[in-house]
Amino acid sequence: MKTLAQLTTLAAAAALFAGCASAPTVTPALREARSTVHSAEADPAVLKYASLDIKKASDSLRRAEELSAKREAPADIDSAAYVAATQARTAMAIGRAATQEEAIKAAEADRERARADANANRANVAQAQATNAQIAAANASADANAARQQAAAANADAANAQAQAANAQAQAAALAQELADLQAKQTDRGMLVTLGDVLFEFGRAEIKPAAQASIAKLAHYLNQHPDRRVLIEGFTDSVGSDSANLTLSQRRSQAVAEALRAQGVDPTRVATRGYGEAYPVASNSSTSDRAMNRRVEVYISNDNQPVRARG
């Protein structure tokens, strides 16, 4: 007959074996996905600018954890974990880009304010010169007429300088508002304005009437900066054949170029490209992700040189 100690040992072993049999399958890819998603969830820039993207990453990680708990095949767990980690990295990249964009906009506004301040200083100097000229006119009776002319000229300079200061301040405010309205982002190829899926019906290249306001804002900015060059790039999602998507993306980029021309933008400043389903910004596994890939990107040069092409 077995002793009580032997029975206890056998029971513990059985419990240990049962515990091992039910333990979840945790792969290195799942551990990496956990770390990446948790880091993204703790990033203030991600929470501010990429809340939708981090939610997708959290949902994908939850799917991977469910597969792990069910002890599904490691390959399936790794696939779900890879999607979660990739979505988390995308969210962090969006957060970093948006933070950099805000810094660039703030720097541009600071430069415009500095110019406005300089013009205001010149106006103050000119006003002081006008005052001095008036004093000299009062004290110099022999040269009273000449002094009055100098005073008048100084007053005109002061008024002109004040007008320039006011104009510079208005231009600074207008530039900041234009950049905000266009949601432009600074890239190494120039300022990027992304026109999303709202421009076109699915599978078509005719611009929707409701999208004309966005085109008008872009055209106004370009007409106010006639030295800037433009490259318009069209993209599609993965639905359809490669050749059909390439043709559709080319037609869409050309449609935007024609709309800008109709708004007065010189067509010699505008180049177009179509890339079909290449260079996606999101996966094509869901309706919302495919909508993000159906877009037109407009690059505005930083000077009067053509925008550098991809690749």
Side-chain angles (χ1 to χ4, degrees):
M1 179 181 295
K2 295 179 179 176
T3 65
L4 179 59
Q6 291 174 322
L7 293 174
T8 302
T9 300
L10 290 173
L16 177 61
F17 178 80
C20 294
S22 61
T25 300
V26 180
T27 66
L30 178 56
R31 283 193 290 268
E32 179 185 355
R34 289 172 177 169
S35 175
T36 304
V37 172
H38 293 162
S39 295
E41 289 173 336
D43 189 333
V46 171
L47 299 178
K48 183 177 181 181
Y49 299 107
S51 57
L52 178 61
D53 299 272
I54 193 56
K55 181 181 183 303
K56 292 179 181 178
S58 299
D59 291 344
S60 297
L61 179 60
R62 187 179 304 109
R63 171 61 179 161
E65 296 286 10
E66 291 173 354
L67 294 173
S68 172
K70 295 177 181 178
R71 298 181 59 80
E72 298 290 348
D76 293 338
I77 297 172
D78 286 350
S79 177
Y82 172 79
V83 172
T86 300
Q87 290 171 330
R89 294 189 190 99
T90 298
M92 289 189 285
I94 291 172
R96 288 193 298 272
T99 300
Q100 293 171 355
E101 174 191 352
E102 280 196 352
I104 291 170
K105 289 180 180 178
E108 291 184 350
D110 287 343
R111 285 195 295 271
E112 293 300 324
R113 282 193 292 271
R115 294 191 184 99
D117 290 343
N119 286 331
N121 289 335
R122 286 194 291 272
N124 291 335
V125 171
Q127 186 62 59
Q129 291 173 342
T131 301
N132 291 336
Q134 289 171 339
I135 294 173
N139 293 334
S141 57
D143 298 326
N145 187 51
R148 283 193 294 271
Q149 291 177 352
Q150 291 176 354
N155 283 329
D157 289 342
N160 183 55
Q162 288 173 337
Q164 290 178 349
N167 183 57
Q169 291 172 339
Q171 287 179 346
L175 176 60
Q177 186 59 50
E178 286 176 1
L179 292 173
D181 290 344
L182 292 173
Q183 297 182 341
K185 299 179 181 179
Q186 183 65 50
T187 72
D188 60 353
R189 299 170 63 203
M191 296 295 293
L192 168 61
V193 177
T194 300
L195 304 175
D197 191 48
V198 296
L199 282 181
F200 306 99
E201 296 289 351
F202 175 78
R204 300 187 66 84
E206 295 80 18
I207 298 176
K208 295 180 181 179
Q212 292 299 331
S214 297
I215 298 294
K217 289 179 182 178
L218 179 58
H220 176 74
Y221 180 86
L222 294 175
N223 286 330
Q224 293 298 312
H225 301 81
D227 58 323
R228 304 293 177 91
R229 306 288 289 275
V230 181
L231 174 60
I232 303 173
E233 298 179 340
F235 304 88
T236 68
D237 58 28
S238 61
V239 177
S241 67
D242 291 347
S243 60
N245 284 336
L246 181 60
T247 299
L248 178 60
S249 67
Q250 292 169 336
R251 290 173 57 208
R252 285 180 170 175
S253 63
Q254 188 60 40
V256 174
E258 289 297 324
L260 292 177
R261 183 192 60 77
Q263 296 280 346
V265 178
D266 184 354
T268 62
R269 298 166 55 199
V270 181
T272 61
R273 296 286 189 279
Y275 291 101
E277 61 190 73
Y279 304 107
V281 296
S283 70
N284 284 290
S285 59
S286 67
T287 300
S288 60
D289 283 354
R290 287 191 294 273
M292 293 173 64
N293 288 329
R294 294 192 299 269
R295 69 198 189 281
V296 171
E297 294 183 353
V298 180
Y299 285 88
I300 304 171
S301 68
N302 294 321
D303 48 33
N304 60 359
Q305 299 301 310
V307 177
R308 175 169 51 84
R310 292 175 178 267

